[in-house]
Amino acid sequence: MLQFRASLVLKELFQTSPKRLFSDIIGHKKTFPKAYIYSAAYPAGRISKLKSGCNGRPFFLPLAGRRFLCTKTEGSIDSTEPVKKDDSVQEATADRRRKAGIMPSLEDLLFYSIAEGQERIPAHKFITALKATGLRTGDPRLKECMDMLKVTLKSTSDGVMLDRHLFKKCVQSNIVLLTQAFRKKFVIPDFQPFASNIDALYEKARNLSGGLVADYIPQLAKFSPDLWAVSLCTVDGQRHTVGDTKVPFCLQSCVKPLKYAIAVHDHGTEYVHRFIGKEPSGLRFNKLFLDEDDKPHNPMVNAGAIVCTSLIKQGASNAEKFDYMMNFLKKMAGNEYVGFSNATFQSERESGDRNFAIGYYLKEKKCFPDGTDMTGVLDLYFQLCSIEVTCESASVMAATLANGGFCPITGERVLSPESVRDTLSLMHSCGMYDFSGQFAFHVGLPAKSGVSGGILLVVPNVMGIMCWSPPLDKLGNSVRGIQFCTDLVSLFNFHNYDNLRHFAKKLDPRREGGEQRYSFGPLDYESLQKELVLKDTMWTKVSPTECNEDHSTTVVYRMENIEEGF
C-alpha cells in the first residue's frame, strides 16, 4: 500500500516564497490542501519531530523510524463509519474530501479523463471507451451503472449529454471496476491491439478446408462445415468474439472436464480417484480397456467419463442430477446460454452401442460405486453430452477454470481451487484424444476437444477460449481449432513453459508497453485513490526538496489544470 510521510517543507511553496514563515505556509489555505507528499521509505532518526497545526489540529506527528499512513483531517471520512447510499450524503462526503485536502474522488478523475477538457460528454463516448477496455455493457457487474445511465439519460433535456454530476451518479455504484478498466489494470491492458491479433489468427484458420464433419451421431452431421467461431473471456471479464459465436452446439466431450471438476468439488480428489485413474491411456477414447487396477485410465476418455457421471449427486434421481449439472454449468457460464438438445440426446442413445458395451464392461469389473444403476448412468451420460452452449457462454466456463473457480463476470465462487487444479492437470495430459501429447508439446495449455468441433482452451490466470468448427481431423479434433491454438502460442507467450522474461520473440499481452504488471493492493476505493495520486496524468512530479537535515528520497506531487469547482 502506498504510504505518505511528513517532510520538512513542500517544494512548491518554498520555490514561490523561500523566506516565508512556516506558520504562514500552514495558513495558506488555497495551495496547501492540494499538495501531497510521498516517500517509499525513510531511515530511523532521519526526520525531525515536527508539530504544527491546521485548523487547530495537528497534521504532522511523525515518529522517528516508523512508517505511518495519512491521518484523518478535518472533514475527512472515518472508514469505520457506516456507508450511506443517499446521493446527497455521498455528494457531501465528496465535498468534505475536497475541502479537507483529501484525494479527489475516483468518479471525478474518471470523468475528466474521458471528457478531455469538456464540461459535458456524450453517453456514447463513454460506452465506446468502455468497450475498448474489453468490458461489455451487458456485464452483470455493470448492471447498476447501465440501469442508472438509461434512467439518467431520460431525465436530460437532449437525452445524450452527461455533465460531471450526472456522470458521477451513473458510475458511482461500479466505480472501482470502471477505474481498473480505464486505468488499464486488467490482465490484458491494451485490449484492442490484442483483439486485432485474435481476429488475424481467426482469419488465417478460416481459410483451411480439410477435415470431415462427424457423422456417427446423425444430429452432428447436419452442421455446416463452414461454421467457425472463436470467443474469449479473460479473468477480469474482458470479452472478444469473432465468427459464428451465437450458434448453439453440443458440448459432447468438452463436458468431461466440467463434469470431473464438479465431482471433485463435491467429493474431493481422493474419493473420485478411488474409481478413476490419472494416466493418459495411449488408446482411442472409446476403447474397452482399463488400467492394471481395473479402473478407467482418466476421466477424459469415455470409460472414465461414464464412471465420473455415476459420482454426480449419488442417490438422487436422474432428473435431479440433470438439473444439478445444468445449474452448476450456468453458474460457470455466468448465467449465459446453457441449453439442451433433445434430438442429439435421442440420436446418441440410439447409436450408442459402443458406450453401452463400455458400461456393461465397467459393471462387470465393479468400477461403479455400490448401488449404481448402470443404464441410468448411461442415460445421464448421453444427456450431459447433449448440453448446448454457444462459443460465448463456453468461453466464460473456460475463464472460470482459468480464474481458479471464480466466474469472472459474476465474481461468484463456483469451483474449489482443488477441483480446478486437478481438472487443468488432466486436461493438459489427456484432453485432446490421441493428440494430447503433441498438443501438450506444441501448445502447452490445458484443453479439451469434442466431436461436435469444439476446443475448450484455458490459459491459466489469463483467459478461457472456446473455438468451434465442425470439420474434424482423423483423431477427432477440430482442424481450424488446432490451427488457431497452435498459432496463438506462436504469437503470444502463453505456452506453459515460455519464459515470460526472456522469450523476446513472442508478444506478451499481459504487459503494457513492455512493462511488468503490478498491483497497488486490494481492489478497493482507497487503494485506487492513492495510486491515482502518483500515476494519473493530471498530477505533476516535482523535484525532491534539497535539505541537509533529511536526505531520504521525497517526491512531491501537485494537481494541475483542475477546474476551480473540482
Side-chain angles (χ1 to χ4, degrees), residues 438-453:
Q438 293 269 21
F439 194 88
F441 182 86
H442 292 289
V443 179
L445 292 171
K448 184 70 189 84
S449 58
V451 294
S452 59

Side-chain angles (χ1 to χ4, degrees), residues 393-403 456-458 463-466:
S393 61
S395 69
V396 181
M397 293 178 177
T400 299
L401 293 176
N403 199 33
L456 192 77
L457 182 72
V458 178
M463 70 181 70
I465 301 174
M466 172 57 91

